[in-house]
Amino acid sequence: MNKESTRDRILQKGGDLVHAKGFNNTGIQEILDAAGVPKGSFYFYFKNKQDFGLQLVDHRVDMFGELVRSHLRDESLSPLARFRRLFNWFKQFYRDHGYSLGCPIGNLAQEMSDLCDTFRARLERAMTGLTTAFKTILDLAVEQGQLAPDTDTEDLAAFITMAWEGALLSMKLEKGPGPLDRFERMIFDKLLADRGAERQ
Amino acid sequence: MNKESTRDRILQKGGDLVHAKGFNNTGIQEILDAAGVPKGSFYFYFKNKQDFGLQLVDHRVDMFGELVRSHLRDESLSPLARFRRLFNWFKQFYRDHGYSLGCPIGNLAQEMSDLCDTFRARLERAMTGLTTAFKTILDLAVEQGQLAPDTDTEDLAAFITMAWEGALLSMKLEKGPGPLDRFERMIFDKLLADRGAERQ
């Protein structure tokens, strides 16, 4: 393995463990075992476990951020139809994972926000990035007449982010799709009074 | 201390630690130190750490459940005004705690749902209890004409629970009141089209 792929492998495999078990509940030795690398490799790329955690936030943001943006720039669909389809993609993702895991950023935010301010600030930036992507698509929906011109898209985007985090928490707790379906009904059929479907 | 107060003290002090630091991140020795009791006392009341965790869920449900119910049965206010005031009480609580901690049940749900099914089932029951209390007040709002007769109060109550959990997560991340204010605007001013204020 070259250097880049070793670092990536540690972040990928270690990140999957942290996603499933939590950050404090995952030991460095488990990460090494999962990635199949010796301890020296870990410390070549990461100063310590916290540094690994911070780089992991960026790694997950890159993974999911590109996925979110690629869904939202598909011009064959109306803005709100793209937005809805993004959440349907996630619904399928979580169905394939037994409605477990939850949001990698949300989990870390829950666990780490009160324990380490450096971690908290990095996670806040990540979550703001998600809200900004949502605001962009809502702004486009306003431009194209799918939402009223006076819509406060920033407030709405931030609410959608937090409702989505809450939906993922409930999904993980109930181990079923109910909360994700409920999120879709309330956000798209009520709050956004979605006319996107008609315009696909 | 008599037996009951020793058990309560362990649950209270240990529960505060778990609320702040997470379940897996809190050791039994820390709980003993915080409660000021010897190890033997802990094992007199709790079989092991998991048993402590399960009894802690019930303990927090009793604490917060009574608080929620007492707000919701105040007949001097309309149903929706009571409901809104409950969340304002929580807003003050979190302001007094530096917008940290989050929801004791939500935190454990995030952390434990995938790790232990016994824990998950207990937490799911706790969260369902909260949704049921919310549904009761929404049903009363329908009865008193504050909400439309065809309102799906069960779906709405479950959505409010999950949006609230998401708001608490965002609050903890942002360390400010913004997400709680946003929750109130979106739920009460938009989704419930609250006419409660006029009727107070």
Side-chain angles (χ1 to χ4, degrees):
Chain A
M1 287 187 286
N2 63 33
K3 286 183 181 185
E4 193 44 43
S5 79
T6 301
R7 178 179 173 278
D8 260 12
R9 190 175 169 75
I10 298 171
L11 286 167
Q12 188 59 55
K13 297 288 184 179
D16 290 347
L17 276 176
V18 169
H19 197 178
K21 297 182 53 182
F23 184 71
N24 286 310
N25 195 34
T26 301
I28 289 181
Q29 190 58 51
E30 290 173 276
I31 297 172
L32 302 180
D33 291 346
V37 298
K39 191 171 269 191
S41 289
F42 184 90
Y43 287 105
F44 183 79
Y45 297 106
F46 311 104
K47 270 185 296 200
N48 47 40
K49 195 178 159 196
Q50 177 181 305
D51 184 41
F52 164 76
L54 294 174
Q55 293 193 45
L56 178 60
V57 175
D58 295 340
H59 181 260
R60 296 284 140 156
V61 165
D62 289 345
M63 267 174 70
F64 285 96
E66 180 44 33
L67 192 150
V68 168
R69 282 189 300 274
S70 74
H71 269 90
L72 296 185
R73 70 179 163 238
D74 172 4
E75 299 193 353
S76 69
L77 296 173
S78 76
L80 290 185
R82 281 177 236 172
F83 201 23
R84 190 193 278 261
R85 211 193 45 171
L86 170 66
F87 290 107
N88 282 315
W89 185 92
F90 275 115
K91 209 183 285 186
Q92 173 115 19
F93 172 87
Y94 286 108
R95 192 181 64 197
D96 294 346
H97 288 82
Y99 302 109
S100 66
L101 297 171
C103 172
I105 301 301
N107 291 359
L108 287 170
Q110 183 80 276
E111 183 179 0
M112 301 304 293
S113 289
D114 288 353
L115 303 181
C116 171
D117 200 61
T118 311
F119 227 125
R120 188 202 61 71
R122 187 79 65 108
L123 289 161
E124 188 181 9
R125 204 170 64 200
M127 203 69 95
T128 302
L130 187 66
T131 296
T132 302
F134 290 175
K135 180 181 182 305
T136 302
I137 199 76
L138 292 176
D139 284 336
L140 204 59
V142 170
E143 256 179 62
Q144 300 193 11
Q146 287 195 294
L147 293 172
D150 64 347
T151 305
D152 183 343
T153 56
E154 187 163 346
D155 204 31
L156 200 49
F159 181 75
I160 291 171
T161 299
M162 70 193 211
W164 176 242
E165 291 297 330
L168 291 178
L169 175 62
S170 293
M171 169 204 82
K172 197 170 161 175
L173 182 60
E174 294 180 18
K175 289 278 169 281
L180 307 187
D181 292 337
R182 179 173 300 118
F183 169 87
E184 188 182 353
R185 270 197 304 280
M186 291 291 175
I187 298 298
F188 285 91
D189 299 340
K190 301 219 162 157
L191 217 52
L192 296 177
D194 183 6
R195 289 168 291 163
E198 301 153 26
R199 292 172 175 237
Q200 273 174 34
Chain B
M1 286 187 288
N2 63 32
K3 285 184 178 183
E4 193 46 42
S5 79
T6 301
R7 177 179 174 276
D8 260 12
R9 191 174 169 76
I10 298 171
L11 286 168
Q12 187 60 54
K13 297 288 184 179
D16 290 347
L17 276 178
V18 168
H19 198 178
K21 298 182 52 183
F23 184 72
N24 287 310
N25 196 34
T26 301
I28 288 180
Q29 190 58 51
E30 290 173 276
I31 298 171
L32 302 180
D33 291 346
V37 298
K39 191 170 270 193
S41 288
F42 184 90
Y43 288 105
F44 182 79
Y45 297 105
F46 310 105
K47 269 184 299 199
N48 48 41
K49 195 178 159 197
Q50 177 182 305
D51 184 40
F52 164 76
L54 295 173
Q55 293 193 45
L56 177 60
V57 175
D58 294 341
H59 182 260
R60 297 283 140 157
V61 166
D62 288 346
M63 269 174 70
F64 285 95
E66 180 45 31
L67 192 149
V68 168
R69 281 189 302 273
S70 74
H71 269 91
L72 296 185
R73 68 179 166 238
D74 172 4
E75 298 194 353
S76 69
L77 296 173
S78 75
L80 290 185
R82 282 177 235 172
F83 201 23
R84 191 193 276 261
R85 210 191 47 171
L86 170 68
F87 290 107
N88 283 314
W89 185 91
F90 276 115
K91 210 183 285 185
Q92 173 115 20
F93 172 88
Y94 287 108
R95 192 180 64 198
D96 293 345
H97 288 82
Y99 303 109
S100 66
L101 296 172
C103 172
I105 302 300
N107 291 359
L108 287 170
Q110 183 79 276
E111 184 180 0
M112 301 305 292
S113 289
D114 287 353
L115 303 181
C116 171
D117 201 62
T118 310
F119 227 125
R120 188 202 61 72
R122 188 79 65 110
L123 290 160
E124 188 181 7
R125 204 169 64 201
M127 203 69 95
T128 302
L130 187 65
T131 296
T132 301
F134 291 175
K135 181 182 182 303
T136 302
I137 198 75
L138 292 175
D139 283 337
L140 204 60
V142 169
E143 256 179 63
Q144 301 193 10
Q146 286 194 294
L147 292 173
D150 65 347
T151 305
D152 183 342
T153 55
E154 187 163 344
D155 204 30
L156 200 50
F159 181 75
I160 290 171
T161 299
M162 68 193 212
W164 176 243
E165 291 296 330
L168 291 177
L169 176 63
S170 292
M171 169 205 80
K172 197 170 163 176
L173 182 61
E174 294 179 18
K175 290 278 169 279
L180 306 187
D181 293 337
R182 181 173 300 119
F183 170 88
E184 187 181 355
R185 271 196 304 281
M186 291 290 175
I187 298 298
F188 285 92
D189 300 340
K190 300 220 162 156
L191 217 52
L192 296 178
D194 185 3
R195 288 168 293 164
E198 300 154 27
R199 294 171 175 235
Q200 272 174 34

